[in-house]
Structure formats: structure tokens, C-alpha cells
Amino acid sequence: MSKFLITGGAGFIGSNYLHYVVNKYPEDNFVCLDALTYAGNYNNIKSLEGKTNYKFIKGDIRDKELVFDLFKEEEFDYVINFAAESHVDNSIKNPNLFADTNILGTMTLLNAVKMMKNEGNHPVKRYHQVSTDEVYGDLPLDRPDLLFTEENPIHTSSPYSASKAGADLQVLAYARTFKLPITISRCSNNYGAYQFPEKLIPVVISKALNDEPIPVYGKGDNVRDWIHVHDHNVGVDLIVRNGREGEIYNLGGHSERTNLEVVKTILKQLGKPESLITFVSDRPGHDRRYAIDSTKVEEELGWDRTYDFDSGMKETIDWYINNQDWIDDIKSGEYKNSYKG
Ligand code: NAD
Ligand code: TYD
């Protein structure tokens, strides 16, 4: 039996992770720590209430006293940090918040892992940082042969990616200086259920369902490598349990698409006209292309994807069609009342 701390478990990827592992590993215990920021939605994890191997705690990863007390009390074996400010557009409006949450929040967790190691009673076996391919910067559109490997230098463009890179560098620094047992995963763009409707795919689905104009930044020719959130989470789980200490692993979807291709796929499935597409001003500093080489995790840990883009998108679009209450609750703000704690 192992005890896991899952931070950011009320968000998109963390909630999908919890649904996966709480059911898959009944012998393990999972504690979710989430501040329920605007992006945290307790509705995502409400159905886990009552599971005997799971509990939820509302709290901020930057709150040193709360975090240190929690580590001492719970004696975690594994810590997986999903908590972050995650939206690039918000990072352009409020860069400091991203440095604060993503870098200082990560450091609070690292300091707690260090404290547990120094106290000697129950050291954490593995701290895992959920990072992003965006720390590598972007690739040119006319060089499809280029992919990010784990050897690529950090070369960030946005305050979001810079804050995630800052966090990664602290994780690596704590590993080397304080000998903490860490791993890092860097994944490409995720899609799936429970994604907050500020990111491209849920924005397009929710607007298309209401016949509203769909904002496409610039020419819509930026490329992202899309991965189903479940495949990302299977990778994280494998890395945490079997990955080599101190290593970085890339996870990618093998599904590069331009934004325009993504938008047209969604409109087609929903039976909506392409005339809804509205080109708007480009995002400042907009990364052109992300593409991931995930050979390392495939060869070392036998990781692979179960979804291809078409089947994954079909399932995802169906999920949003069948869960329009979930989006309506966010639009009305009602989701903020979903945690009664
Ligand atoms: P999200 O914005 O949907 O969820 C973030 C969660 O973290 C929310 O539940 C929020 O309440 C919580 N949180 C924020 N600040 C907190 C704090 N100070 N203390 C405690 N909880 C806090 O994000 P997501 O898309 O689920 O991303 C999860 C992680 O995966 C992030 O670290 C992100 O950088 C990384 N990532 C995301 C993608 C993607 O495509 N979405 C791709 C690669 C990596
Ligand atoms: P996003 O989902 O914000 O993820 P990221 O910026 O982390 O890759 O955006 C994905 C792509 O879609 C990105 O190139 C920006 C673009 N985009 C739009 O064209 N319109 C939108 O309304 C949004 C939210 C994003």
C-alpha cells in the first residue's frame, strides 16, 4: 500500500488522473490537494466522494504551513504535482501569478519533500513534476523533420512556459543539491473530458454548440501535437512507478494538427458550418509548432497511446455534447458552489 499526494486534482488532467488511479489501485491511497482556483472544478471529482482510498483537501500548494503539516501527518510515499496556472493567454495578462503558483508553489512542495527526507521518519520515494513540451519553445512550421527530445534546451516564449521551465529547473536543482528522488514528464497538448472551456478544443465545441463565432488566432496555421488525456495519465503513472530517478520523459500524441484542422474536425462532427470560423488577432509571441519525440518512454517503459486523434476526438466531442450541464455550470459560475466542504 502506498500513499499518493495529487495536487491540482480538481483540474482537467488531475481529475482524469484521479478517476483512473483511484479505481485502478484500490490498495493505494490518494489525497487530492487543490486550491479550487477558477480552473478547479469540484464537479470533476465529486463522484469520487465515498471511495475509501481517496480524500479531498482544499488548500494552496504555496501555503507552507498547510503543506508541511499535511506531509508530516500523511507521510506520503509519492507526490505528483499537477497544480498550476495553465493558460497561456492568462499568463500574458498576469505573468506574476504564474511565477508565484508555478515556481514558488512547486518549491513549497519540494521543500516539504526535503523536510521529510531530513527528518528521516518517512522520506518521499518519488516527487513527480507534471511539466509541458512548451518549455522547449517552438519549432518552425517548415521543418516537419524536427521534434523535441529530452536533450533539447529550455527555450521558452510565454510567461506560462517560462514559469513551468523555472519549476522544472528547481526540481532538477533540488534533485542534485539535496538528493531528492524526482522525475519530470513533459507532455504535448491534451484533450478530453473536463477541460476548462478556455482552451482551444472546449472553446470551439461550446461555441459551436451555441452557433457562436469561433475565434481562431492569426491564420490558424499553428501546429500542436494532440494527445488524449488518458494516454498522458497512463504515461505519468508508469513514470512515477517505474521511471528512473532523476530522469525527464517526453510524452506526445503523434498527432500534429494545425488549429484550423482541429476546428474543422469539430465543426464537421457537430454538423456546424465553417462560416462560424472567425479569424482574430494573433496571440503575442504565439508558438508556431510543438512536436514531441517520446521514444525514450516508449522504449524504457513500454508506454504507448491507446487513442488516435480521430477516435479520441470523437469520444471527446460526444462527452461535451452529453455533458452540456457541466459547461453551463461553468458559464453561470454555479460550479464555484460545487464544493460544500
Ligand atoms: P487546469 O488549469 O485545468 O488545472 C489546474 C488545477 O490546479 C486546478 O484544479 C486548480 O484549482 C489547481 N491549482 C492552481 N493553483 C493552485 C495552487 N496554488 N494550489 C493548489 N491547487 C492549485 O490545468 P491542466 O490542464 O489540468 O494541467 C495540469 C498540469 O499539466 C499543469 O501543471 C500543466 O502545466 C500541465 N500540462 C498541461 C497540458 C494541457 O494540455 N492542458 C499539457 C502538458 C502539461
Ligand atoms: P490552447 O488550448 O490555449 O493551448 P496552448 O496555447 O497551450 O497550446 O491553444 C491551442 C492553440 O489554439 C494555440 O495555437 C492557440 C490557439 N487558440 C485559438 O486559435 N483560439 C482560441 O480561442 C484558443 C483558446 C486557442
Side-chain angles (χ1 to χ4, degrees), residues 196-208 214-215:
F196 199 80
E198 63 185 354
K199 307 277 165 54
L200 179 69
I201 288 176
V203 162
V204 175
I205 298 173
S206 70
K207 289 199 182 285
I214 291 163

Side-chain angles (χ1 to χ4, degrees), residues 7 41 45 52 76 131 133 137 153 169 172 177 181 187 191 198-199 205 209 213 221-222 230 254-255 259 270 319 335:
T7 69
N41 184 347
I45 46 175
T52 50
F76 298 113
S131 185
D133 62 354
L169 293 173
L172 294 170
T177 307
C187 191
Y191 64 89
E198 63 185 354
K199 307 277 165 54
I205 298 173
L209 284 170
D221 58 355
N222 304 66
H230 177 70
H254 271 184
S255 295
N259 293 340
L270 293 176
W319 187 87
Y335 77 110

Side-chain angles (χ1 to χ4, degrees), residues 110-130:
L110 290 169
N111 285 327
V113 176
K114 176 164 152 285
M115 176 270 295
M116 292 303 284
K117 180 174 192 268
N118 292 343
E119 294 201 348
N121 293 329
H122 197 105
V124 171
K125 289 186 192 141
R126 177 63 59 83
Y127 172 92
H128 182 77
Q129 179 74 0
V130 179

Side-chain angles (χ1 to χ4, degrees), residues 86-89 134 160 189 198-201 203 215-217 222 224 226 259 283 286-287 290:
S86 69
H87 191 40
V88 173
D89 293 332
E134 300 191 27
Y160 164 67
N189 285 60
E198 63 185 354
K199 307 277 165 54
L200 179 69
I201 288 176
V203 162
V216 172
Y217 301 167
N222 304 66
R224 298 293 183 261
W226 293 97
N259 293 340
R283 171 188 279 171
H286 199 168
D287 279 338
Y290 304 138

Side-chain angles (χ1 to χ4, degrees), residues 35-322:
L36 297 180
T37 67
Y38 82 94
N41 184 347
Y42 192 72
N43 285 330
N44 298 357
I45 46 175
K46 207 169 199 155
S47 63
L48 293 172
E49 273 176 4
K51 294 269 181 192
T52 50
N53 63 335
Y54 160 81
K55 79 174 167 194
F56 177 80
I57 294 168
K58 183 174 180 214
D60 195 309
I61 58 166
R62 292 167 296 178
D63 182 340
K64 183 184 168 199
E65 198 181 330
L66 177 142
V67 168
F68 274 49
D69 285 351
L70 189 67
F71 272 68
K72 283 185 205 152
E73 200 178 302
E74 298 283 352
E75 302 193 321
F76 298 113
D77 300 297
Y78 295 91
V79 176
I80 308 180
N81 183 24
F82 289 94
E85 288 294 335
S86 69
H87 191 40
V88 173
D89 293 332
N90 289 345
S91 81
I92 295 168
K93 290 179 205 129
N94 189 358
N96 289 33
L97 173 64
F98 280 67
D100 204 29
T101 296
N102 297 356
I103 304 178
L104 296 181
T106 296
M107 291 179 74
T108 307
L109 295 171
L110 290 169
N111 285 327
V113 176
K114 176 164 152 285
M115 176 270 295
M116 292 303 284
K117 180 174 192 268
N118 292 343
E119 294 201 348
N121 293 329
H122 197 105
V124 171
K125 289 186 192 141
R126 177 63 59 83
Y127 172 92
H128 182 77
Q129 179 74 0
V130 179
S131 185
T132 165
D133 62 354
E134 300 191 27
V135 301
Y136 298 122
D138 67 349
L139 296 163
L141 293 177
D142 60 357
R143 288 292 307 274
D145 55 312
L146 296 180
L147 302 173
F148 296 132
T149 72
E150 291 83 358
E151 308 305 321
N152 270 73
I154 299 257
H155 188 81
T156 53
S157 324
S158 71
Y160 164 67
S161 55
S163 69
K164 292 295 291 183
D168 283 13
L169 293 173
Q170 291 295 350
V171 172
L172 294 170
Y174 273 61
R176 175 155 171 170
T177 307
F178 306 115
K179 310 267 178 295
L180 299 192
I182 64 94
T183 37
I184 297 176
S185 53
R186 292 178 176 157
C187 191
S188 59
N189 285 60
N190 285 220
Y191 64 89
Y194 302 123
Q195 186 166 30
F196 199 80
E198 63 185 354
K199 307 277 165 54
L200 179 69
I201 288 176
V203 162
V204 175
I205 298 173
S206 70
K207 289 199 182 285
L209 284 170
N210 291 318
D211 300 305
E212 289 169 18
I214 291 163
V216 172
Y217 301 167
K219 289 191 253 164
D221 58 355
N222 304 66
V223 172
R224 298 293 183 261
D225 175 9
W226 293 97
I227 184 171
H228 193 283
V229 63
H230 177 70
D231 289 334
H232 178 189
N233 282 333
V234 169
V236 169
D237 186 48
L238 266 178
I239 294 164
V240 169
R241 288 170 191 264
N242 304 328
R244 281 183 298 137
E245 196 179 305
E247 293 292 314
I248 297 170
Y249 294 92
N250 285 350
L251 296 163
H254 271 184
S255 295
E256 289 181 50
R257 296 287 185 281
T258 65
N259 293 340
L260 216 44
E261 283 169 332
V262 171
V263 174
K264 286 181 181 174
T265 302
I266 297 170
L267 291 175
K268 192 165 173 217
Q269 186 174 330
L270 293 176
K272 298 289 181 179
E274 289 186 7
S275 56
L276 289 177
I277 295 172
T278 309
F279 292 97
V280 299
S281 335
D282 210 354
R283 171 188 279 171
H286 199 168
D287 279 338
R288 293 160 295 174
R289 171 173 170 256
Y290 304 138
I292 276 272
D293 178 343
S294 40
T295 310
K296 179 176 172 181
V297 70
E298 288 164 25
E299 289 186 349
E300 264 188 50
L301 303 177
W303 175 79
D304 202 358
R305 294 144 284 260
T306 55
Y307 287 89
D308 60 31
F309 183 75
D310 292 336
S311 64
M313 279 298 287
K314 185 174 181 330
E315 185 205 87
T316 300
I317 295 167
D318 283 342
W319 187 87
Y320 286 93
I321 293 173
N322 295 325

Side-chain angles (χ1 to χ4, degrees), residues 21-32:
V21 293
V22 168
N23 291 307
K24 181 168 185 199
Y25 302 107
E27 70 284 5
D28 290 333
N29 273 297
F30 299 91
V31 177
C32 171

